[in-house]
Amino acid sequence: MTISTVKKDQLKQKYAEERDKRLRADGNEQYLELKGQLSHYLEDPYVEVKAREPKNDHVTVAFIGGGFAGLVTGARLAEQDITDVRILDKGGDFGGTWYWNRYPGAMCDTASFVYMPLLEETGHMPSEKYTHAPEILSHCQRIGHQYHLYDKALFHTQVTHLKWDEGNSRWSIKTNRGDDFTAQFVAIGTGPLHIPKLPGIPGLEDFKGHSFHTSRWDYDYTGGNPDGAPLDNLKDKRVAIIGTGATSVQCVPALAEGCKTLYVCQRTPSSVDVRANKNTDPEWFKEMATEGWQKRWLENFTLNQTGGAVEEDLVQDGWTDLARRVRSKINELPPEDRGNPLKMLAAYEDSDFEKMEEIRNRVDTLVGDEQTAQDLKAWYRQLCKRPCFHDEYLQAFNEASAILLDTEGQGVERITEKGFVVLGKEYEVDCIIYASGFEVGTTLVRRTGFETIGRDGLSLSNYWEEGMKSIHGINVHNFPNAFFVQPTQGANLISNIPHNIVESSQTIAMMIKHAIDNKAKTIEVSKQAEKDWVDLLLTGAGMMLGSLDCTPGYYNNEGQAPSPASKLNVGYPAGAAAYFKYIDEWRNTGDFKGIEFS
Ligand code: NDP
């Protein structure tokens, strides 16, 4: 498909109009924090909180967060014979996002073979290309058991205090469960999206029916279960789901099937491309999964996804398709234009217009009602919002029960005692499900629930006031023996967060092992090495996501100008694949250049 210049101009204008409809002066402030009267939305519906004695001891490593980051770091430490590791999590088990998100239809959106960590180490074969949530949660538990991480773990535990004790070269940790213990090393992997938020719709507290957030799914109310049993209790219920992001896209098909009436309240449509999920053929897997297979797949996905020179595409999904198309457009340029940023940008734009036209045309082929199909079309560049992939979402609107209520970009107007109002009309419902996402643009302390206090009482918030400073996104000067497990200032590979985690955890385990072997009490990045790393990061092109001409969302700070500090939320200038190669060499030299062990 080639798109004419006239058509491109029309599309650009349409995109701008649609963005303008949605811009709001209150940006991130439009959302409600779940505290006070709203704090019940945070309660754990899955595992009962059990009484336990507080801990007043010392451990070698404490890890805050029991999702993939904590689990993989725990596993990598265990491989180095470091087993005195205590993982803390506010949930009732391991799993992180997969502990909380048990809504019907939940599954990974990046292929399981590269998304699920430690597949080779655990010998697990993902049952599907995009595995469903219960299997991912079980996999988390499998890692926990295999590496004995349950022995010392503390669940339903929220860290409230984290302070460096210079005299004793250790961290002091306190929690909401009365724990007061110390750790020589502390690592933090709390994940980017874990504090549910509610839309600031007037009247939200007036509703007299039932309501919950998707990350606290109430199966007692809906019936069914995360394994896909039908939501039987809803067959005589009128239900509204507010939000049409990646979560809603996954749970709408089950709701449409289960409810008497389902209102899907849409402010901005998601772009929903083909997912083509399929069961894994065990024979194929057996043949393919030779030694080192997962590392090969990870590297191949990253190379494909980030525009590397690679022939084979092992994963073959929407993410790699996106990158392949851009690459082929650039290859169509005359050789003299291939290094020209403006020409390359134009090639990228062309590829994006084509892709989005295909995605919009796909809606027409799958949705019977013309108006509904029109309303489901996304008018923005694909990476303005989290791209979605699904084989049943669009089709769900052909069910008699499912009604799309497009709000013309304005959102739900009001919640009432009996239901909600869209474009001046009230709809009565028994239940409102908030698929309204998670806090992103709020402060780190608000999202983690604790401040990190380093040397001389310096808080991390203070140290990072003008932007994040680190080496590799892992070590921070003035915060000895602390490690951060997250993508920023490292590979910054957004399409597959676990790959960042797998690499960082290996780096951390090797540093801690080195310190222990050499009887070093502290590990700290030198001020100069941290500065050099940050300077290097600033030579890059910056973050691709977050453009202000995009429709508002959490990728672009809800359409508000980014804070100056956010210019440091970037990755390795040469790209993710180059970063992974670099960090592997860096840690394997054994001298950990830039890090001081003392
Ligand atoms: P999102 O933040 O993506 O979506 C929230 C939704 O709520 C949006 O559609 C938003 O509309 C809508 N909304 C907010 N306020 C209102 C309002 N006042 N009236 C009506 N609608 C409103 O949250 P999700 O939970 O869907 O996804 C969050 C992230 O979690 C994803 O981007 C993805 O990174 C991750 N995720 C990953 C999955 C996977 O890998 N399998 C599955 C699910 C989520 P608007 O767009 O206009 O702001």
Side-chain angles (χ1 to χ4, degrees), residues 112-129:
S112 340
F113 303 99
V114 291
Y115 181 78
M116 292 170 77
L118 306 182
L119 287 174
E120 205 168 338
E121 289 83 345
T122 55
H124 180 68
M125 178 194 85
S127 64
E128 296 170 280
K129 182 165 181 181

Side-chain angles (χ1 to χ4, degrees), residues 53-69:
E53 289 301 311
K55 297 285 179 193
N56 301 102
D57 52 0
H58 176 78
V59 291
T60 306
V61 184
F63 196 105
I64 306 173
F68 282 171

Side-chain angles (χ1 to χ4, degrees), residues 103 107 109 243-247 250 267-268 385-386 411-412 435 437 554:
Y103 56 81
M107 69 179 75
D109 259 356
T244 50
T247 299
Q250 292 191 337
R267 190 165 69 176
T268 310
K385 287 220 167 238
R386 166 62 147 68
V412 172
Y554 77 82

Side-chain angles (χ1 to χ4, degrees), residues 26-276:
D26 51 0
N28 273 308
E29 297 301 314
Q30 68 182 285
Y31 295 106
L32 299 177
E33 190 178 359
L34 300 184
K35 59 181 186 189
Q37 292 236 37
L38 298 177
S39 56
H40 67 93
Y41 281 102
L42 286 175
E43 281 166 17
D44 183 349
Y46 312 124
V47 177
E48 199 187 328
V49 180
K50 290 202 189 86
R52 65 165 175 82
E53 289 301 311
K55 297 285 179 193
N56 301 102
D57 52 0
H58 176 78
V59 291
T60 306
V61 184
F63 196 105
I64 306 173
F68 282 171
L71 286 164
V72 182
T73 306
R76 293 296 181 225
L77 287 164
E79 285 168 356
Q80 304 278 354
D81 289 327
I82 300 162
T83 53
D84 185 24
V85 176
R86 173 174 292 152
I87 300 180
L88 301 103
D89 199 282
K90 63 186 178 174
D93 198 343
F94 288 126
T97 201
W98 299 103
Y99 174 83
W100 294 109
N101 288 286
R102 302 184 188 200
Y103 56 81
M107 69 179 75
C108 55
D109 259 356
T110 303
S112 340
F113 303 99
V114 291
Y115 181 78
M116 292 170 77
L118 306 182
L119 287 174
E120 205 168 338
E121 289 83 345
T122 55
H124 180 68
M125 178 194 85
S127 64
E128 296 170 280
K129 182 165 181 181
Y130 301 95
T131 292
H132 280 73
E135 185 175 328
I136 307 178
L137 179 57
S138 300
H139 185 61
C140 291
Q141 293 161 339
R142 176 179 301 114
I143 297 170
H145 288 299
Q146 180 166 324
Y147 293 94
H148 305 289
L149 302 172
Y150 277 98
D151 300 354
K152 294 197 165 73
L154 297 179
F155 296 121
H156 282 142
T157 301
Q158 169 81 52
V159 171
T160 52
H161 161 107
L162 181 61
K163 189 164 189 249
W164 174 246
D165 173 354
E166 180 77 14
N168 293 305
S169 301
R170 54 183 52 177
W171 286 90
S172 151
I173 299 163
K174 296 182 189 169
T175 76
N176 66 340
R177 304 293 299 270
D179 307 301
D180 184 354
F181 65 97
T182 55
Q184 187 183 355
F185 304 100
V186 69
I188 301 167
T190 44
L193 295 158
H194 64 111
I195 305 286
K197 65 182 190 219
L198 287 181
I201 303 171
L204 188 129
E205 289 170 57
D206 297 342
F207 184 57
K208 295 269 191 284
H210 196 68
S211 64
F212 56 89
H213 187 273
T214 46
S215 67
R216 305 289 188 276
W217 195 272
D218 188 349
Y219 282 103
D220 284 344
Y221 180 84
T222 63
N225 61 37
D227 291 317
L231 307 174
D232 277 343
N233 298 353
L234 298 181
K235 48 179 185 278
D236 58 349
K237 298 277 190 296
R238 300 156 302 172
V239 175
I241 182 162
I242 297 183
T244 50
T247 299
S248 183
V249 164
Q250 292 191 337
C251 62
V252 156
L255 284 169
E257 201 182 308
C259 299
K260 181 174 142 207
T261 307
L262 173 70
Y263 296 109
V264 181
C265 300
Q266 171 180 278
R267 190 165 69 176
T268 310
S270 278
S271 75
V272 185
D273 203 355
V274 177
R275 184 188 48 195

